[in-house]
Amino acid sequence: MTKKKIQLVLGSGGARGLAHIGVIESLERDGYEICEVVGCSMGAVVGGLYCAGFLGQYKDWLATLTRGNVFSLVDFTFNTRGFVRGEKIWTLIAKITGNQQIENLKIPFTAVATDMLNMQEVHYQSGDLFAALRSTISIPGVFTPVIDQDTVLVDGGVLNPLPISAIKRREDCAVVAVNINGRNEPLVEQEEAKQKSRNWLQRYWNNSNKNNIPKISFFDLMNTSYDFTQDRLVQLTIQHYQPDLVIEIPRNACGTFDFHKSAQLIELGKKAYEKAKQLKQNSLQKAS
């Protein structure tokens, strides 16, 4: 990339979003100035904290998490709209940052949520940062949605998992998009075995009954169908808006709630950035 200013788009995808931290650190190391961030779901969390100047503190806090810590932060609720409230985690993060207004952040920031009643995107560019973040991470059926007057707000990834469309492209900036729902990649042998045990496509062949009817759970069917839809949306978005650089984080990098793997995921973000940068350089060399 010849331009040294960046408009950064950070996609949705649970704990894989911690890889965004590695991408941001790599861009800064290479001397790029991030002049705008747009994100949804975990991309909005990382992007919002970065624009507020607290990403380092957030990273330090993540390093203290264990699998048990993560589970203890999940505040379960018996609610037909979702089974996690999400208040514990926001209380802890707010202690790090204090109250923040989006319009006062050091770097322009947009968080993308979905208005379920009106079937449209909601772009937060002002107002309370944590209200925006709480809306955009509300995975339908998992986190309880945010009820705001005449709207029901959920995860921005429902309509726009990689919100490049929310960027107003500038001539002096390159657009960098980070997709954290990229194609699965081969894992180390032990982790690959674990992944296969969770993969309903594998069970399709191995666990069918005597009538050859596949045993697919309701959760597997719904979750994988949602993933396929998100993947197609991202592909079409990239084809249409053509960012200058696309960084892909494989979907099988970790589970949705594996926040205790922050160090591994941040390093993965750095490696994915280097891979994307090399592919871009190779493509430019061939074109010339």
Side-chain angles (χ1 to χ4, degrees):
M1 294 181 294
T2 57
K3 299 175 182 177
K4 298 302 288 186
K5 292 185 178 181
I6 298 293
Q7 291 173 286
L8 184 62
V9 183
L10 304 178
S12 63
R16 291 188 302 279
L18 301 183
H20 291 316
I21 299 174
V23 172
I24 289 172
E25 290 180 345
S26 296
L27 286 168
E28 289 190 328
R29 179 206 64 204
D30 282 357
Y32 291 101
E33 176 190 350
I34 299 173
C35 57
E36 180 182 1
V37 179
V38 172
C40 66
S41 198
M42 272 304 296
V45 174
V46 171
L49 293 176
Y50 171 72
C51 292
F54 292 98
L55 190 59
Q57 291 91 322
Y58 180 59
K59 178 182 175 183
D60 292 341
W61 173 74
L62 288 168
T64 69
L65 294 179
T66 65
R67 188 185 297 272
N69 292 145
V70 173
F71 185 78
S72 69
L73 291 171
V74 179
D75 43 2
F76 294 102
T77 180
F78 296 101
N79 192 311
T80 57
R81 297 190 296 264
F83 61 86
V84 179
R85 288 195 304 270
E87 303 307 323
K88 286 185 178 180
I89 180 66
W90 293 118
T91 298
L92 287 172
I93 294 177
K95 288 182 179 179
I96 296 174
T97 65
N99 294 327
Q100 299 289 330
Q101 297 295 305
I102 296 175
E103 62 270 27
N104 296 331
L105 299 182
K106 298 177 180 180
I107 299 169
F109 171 67
T110 302
V112 179
T114 300
D115 178 350
M116 293 293 286
L117 291 186
N118 297 300
M119 295 181 291
Q120 63 185 13
E121 294 177 29
V122 176
H123 294 179
Y124 289 94
Q125 296 176 322
S126 62
D128 184 76
L129 175 64
F130 292 102
L133 299 185
R134 177 63 181 84
S135 298
T136 190
I137 60 94
S138 298
I139 303 170
V142 179
F143 288 95
T144 55
V146 173
I147 311 298
D148 184 12
Q149 297 180 359
D150 60 345
T151 61
V152 177
L153 299 165
V154 299
D155 191 333
V158 170
L159 287 179
N160 201 347
L162 190 62
I164 307 171
S165 58
I167 286 281
K168 293 183 179 179
R169 298 188 78 144
R170 292 170 38 174
E171 291 185 0
D172 62 333
C173 292
V175 174
V176 174
V178 187
N179 173 29
I180 52 178
N181 294 298
R183 290 185 178 183
N184 288 354
E185 290 188 354
L187 305 173
V188 297
E189 189 171 330
Q190 181 181 7
E191 288 298 315
E192 189 171 8
K194 291 179 182 178
Q195 181 70 17
K196 285 183 178 180
S197 72
R198 295 190 291 263
N199 192 320
W200 71 263
L201 291 175
Q202 188 73 18
R203 292 198 296 275
Y204 180 97
W205 300 108
N206 294 341
N207 297 327
S208 59
N209 63 21
K210 62 182 179 181
N211 295 320
N212 292 321
I213 299 175
K215 294 181 178 179
I216 303 172
S217 74
F218 176 77
F219 178 79
D220 285 335
L221 186 61
M222 293 299 294
N223 190 54
T224 307
S225 297
Y226 181 76
D227 288 346
F228 287 170
T229 302
Q230 298 293 288
D231 292 348
R232 180 55 60 89
L233 277 172
V234 168
Q235 290 170 12
L236 293 173
T237 297
I238 291 172
Q239 289 172 12
H240 182 75
Y241 291 99
Q242 298 185 353
D244 297 286
L245 185 69
V246 178
I247 299 163
E248 300 273 352
I249 307 297
R251 185 185 293 281
N252 62 341
C254 72
T256 302
F257 293 100
D258 285 345
F259 290 92
H260 60 287
K261 297 181 178 179
S262 62
Q264 171 186 332
L265 291 164
I266 291 169
E267 185 61 27
L268 178 61
K270 295 178 179 180
K271 291 180 179 178
Y273 166 77
E274 293 298 332
K275 179 179 179 180
K277 187 171 68 170
Q278 187 61 53
L279 288 172
K280 184 70 173 180
Q281 290 174 349
N282 294 342
S283 175
L284 292 174
Q285 288 174 358
K286 288 181 181 180
S288 61

